[in-house]
Amino acid sequence: MSHPRGPAAPPAALAPARLRALRMVGFKSFAERTEIEFGAGISAVIGPNGSGKSNLADALRWTLGEQGRSLRIRRAEDVIFAGSERRHAIGMADVTLLLDNADGLLPLDFAEIALGRRLFRSGENDYLVNRQRVRHRDLVELLDAANLAENAFLFIGQGMVDQALSLRPEERRPLFEEVAGVRRHERRRHQAEGQLAEADANLARVRDILAELRPQARRLAQQVEQEEARRSAADELAAALVAAAHVRWHASARTTAEAVERLTRARAAVMAAQDELRETEARAASLGARLDERAAMERDARAALDDVAASLTSARLGQGRAESALESLGRDRARLEAERVQLEARIAESRRVAATPIQAPDAADEAELAEAERALAEAIAELAQLRVAARAVGDREAAIRRAEAARAADIEAARRRAGEARRAVAEQEARVARA
């Protein structure tokens, strides 16, 4: 597809053109970035059918806010390059018009103004003035100030001249009004009338709302008066409460000072009590140690008492055995005493016999005498043994009696120590209970 060529440079005497340049990217058949500059005078775009001449006029209309009535499209995204056999489709159409504003035709403080429009396939549509995004309404108001908005003679197509000449006088009137700029004021008048009608409707609605709100306003006025009365009463009450709080604060301050003083004294008393408690605990610990010692001594005394009791029991058993032995020895002594008496009697008889004149010795008598002497010697030896045994038994009885006396004294001393330990324990428990 061939694109139109730019016009030749104009002569220097001609006036500069209002439209300086047209830049397009992705608009209809202009897939690549295309920029066309316009010089002074009349510029002509020449090209064969299908080269995109009409697309240039569509780009101008589209950039100035045309919504699709004369763009030869069914949908808004039809202005975006849809692709070809050699190129892929583009996702955006962007057109920029560079206008000369040296004479201040547009009410902006710029000598050159760039009007742009950008459309994405997602549906986003941006209007740009000097690369700043604006609303469509702002763009229309800006163009309307220069009589460029919805101007029927801004773009004149084929046949429009013949059609204008063939119109009746009453049909030509809108054309003359458009040329004279009356249509712009007419549009503004219609817009103002619409705004007035909307304002009247809003005013009627406001009046209805006021009619509804007047009873509420009276009620609210009464409530305001009541609220003011309440506020005054609240202020008086607040002042009274502040005064009462001031008095209570001073009383509380005095009470707090007294409480602090009492607290100081109480803390001192607590410190003293803590010191006394520590001393008491120390004494209690020492008493506990002494109690432990006394308990150990008591355990030792009880053990000694048990030993003494065991020894006493053993001594009593020994005493019983000794008594039984003494009884046996007494019986033996009595028997031996009887035998001694018999022997003494026999000895006396033998002495008496021996004192008689000796006759011829009789062998039988001699034998009997020898037997009697032998029995006497045995009896004397047995008597000596019995006497030794009796002395040993007496000594043993004396030792047993001494041991019993010593053990009785130990038992009595242990009982006294145990009593003293019990009294000391009771006193210590009483002191601990008092502490």
Side-chain angles (χ1 to χ4, degrees), residues 86-151:
R86 297 181 181 180
R87 296 182 62 88
H88 296 288
I90 298 177
M92 177 189 70
D94 188 0
V95 179
T96 302
L97 301 179
L98 190 61
L99 303 178
D100 185 3
N101 193 38
D103 56 353
L105 178 63
L106 296 176
L108 294 176
D109 296 334
F110 295 98
E112 189 175 77
I113 298 177
L115 302 180
R117 185 175 179 180
R118 187 180 299 158
L119 177 64
F120 298 88
R121 290 194 181 275
S122 60
E124 298 179 10
N125 191 11
D126 297 335
Y127 294 92
L128 306 175
V129 176
N130 288 343
R131 299 182 180 179
Q132 299 294 326
R133 295 180 61 181
V134 296
R135 298 175 300 175
H136 178 261
R137 179 179 179 182
D138 299 331
L139 179 63
V140 171
E141 290 179 355
L142 178 63
L143 296 175
D144 193 23
N147 197 19
L148 297 178
E150 298 182 3
N151 192 338

Side-chain angles (χ1 to χ4, degrees), residues 173-191:
R173 180 178 179 178
L175 297 178
F176 292 125
E177 290 178 353
E178 186 72 33
V179 173
V182 177
R183 294 292 299 275
R184 179 180 61 180
H185 298 292
E186 188 72 19
R187 287 193 299 271
R188 290 182 179 178
R189 184 175 66 83
H190 289 308
Q191 185 178 1

Side-chain angles (χ1 to χ4, degrees), residues 4-21:
R5 295 173 295 175
L14 296 177
R18 177 70 65 183
L19 178 60
R20 289 188 177 182

Side-chain angles (χ1 to χ4, degrees), residues 282-295:
R283 290 196 300 270
S286 62
L287 290 175
R290 292 175 60 186
L291 284 175
D292 294 337
E293 294 178 358
R294 294 292 179 85

Side-chain angles (χ1 to χ4, degrees), residues 334-363:
R335 181 177 58 78
L336 292 175
E337 188 67 24
E339 289 180 355
R340 184 180 64 79
V341 171
Q342 292 177 2
L343 288 174
E344 286 179 354
R346 290 175 64 184
I347 290 170
E349 182 66 25
S350 298
R351 287 176 179 176
R352 185 180 61 76
V353 172
T356 60
I358 300 174
Q359 296 179 3
D362 190 357

